[in-house]
Amino acid sequence: AILDSAIRESLAEPDFDENIGLASIRVNPAMPVHSYAQLTALILRQSAAVREYELGAFQKAVETRSYSGTSSLKEAGTIYKKIEAALLAVDVPANLATNHLAVINSIGSLANIVNAMAVWEGDPVTGLVYIDTFLEKESQVEQTVMELFAKITAVLKTS
């Protein structure tokens, strides 16, 4: 952890966080929660189109010294950006807006780091930072999606 902190401080690390605000999503108090849940689940399932686990693809790039870009990572980044855009177009029940926004920002952040990994230029320190950041963003996506669907379940139980 100390080494990781020292590495991060020594780099002029780009900010991979997506920072879309609440005003950018389509809050619609009349949107039925059940319909919203079905649509959101359908959109999130598009992530199954990612053909290769990102860390595996990145490992191959490192092992083969492929510094000119990795097509599977570029494709994954594009898929995540499309998911983010689709989620921005969804009508969101007002009581789920904050959770929905958290999912959008986490997926956008994951897309940003995956796109950076896709064009990694071979610097080993940057590579380590990318791996660490990817794991963090991947975990954030899992957490925000679980929280969203837990809230959906709670709302549906009370309605």
Side-chain angles (χ1 to χ4, degrees), residues 19-76:
N19 291 305
I20 294 171
L22 206 51
S24 298
I25 65 172
R26 297 172 44 160
V27 177
N28 179 354
M31 177 64 166
V33 173
H34 186 265
S35 299
Y36 163 80
Q38 288 179 324
L39 180 57
T40 301
L42 182 66
I43 291 168
L44 292 173
R45 277 192 213 112
Q46 293 175 26
S47 66
V50 175
R51 293 181 286 151
E52 183 176 16
Y53 182 54
E54 296 86 344
L55 284 183
F58 192 65
Q59 179 182 355
K60 285 181 192 173
V62 171
E63 289 172 353
T64 60
R65 295 188 168 104
S66 177
Y67 307 135
S68 58
T70 308
S71 62
S72 65
L73 288 170
K74 288 177 186 173
E75 182 180 306

Side-chain angles (χ1 to χ4, degrees), residues 2-3 25 31-32 37 39 44 46 77-78 88 96 99-100 105 111 115 135 144 156:
I2 293 172
L3 180 58
I25 65 172
M31 177 64 166
L39 180 57
L44 292 173
Q46 293 175 26
T78 299
L88 280 166
L96 298 172
N99 296 90
H100 184 83
N105 281 323
N115 283 328
L135 291 170
T144 59
L156 288 173

Side-chain angles (χ1 to χ4, degrees), residues 2 12-13 33 40 46 75 80 82 87 124 129 132 134 145:
I2 293 172
E13 180 182 333
V33 173
T40 301
Q46 293 175 26
E75 182 180 306
Y80 294 136
K82 286 180 181 176
L87 290 172
V129 171
D132 183 55
F134 171 80
V145 170

Side-chain angles (χ1 to χ4, degrees), residues 4-30:
D4 182 52
S5 294
I7 290 171
R8 284 180 178 271
E9 287 174 16
S10 71
L11 292 173
E13 180 182 333
D15 181 11
F16 297 108
D17 290 340
E18 196 76 2
N19 291 305
I20 294 171
L22 206 51
S24 298
I25 65 172
R26 297 172 44 160
V27 177
N28 179 354

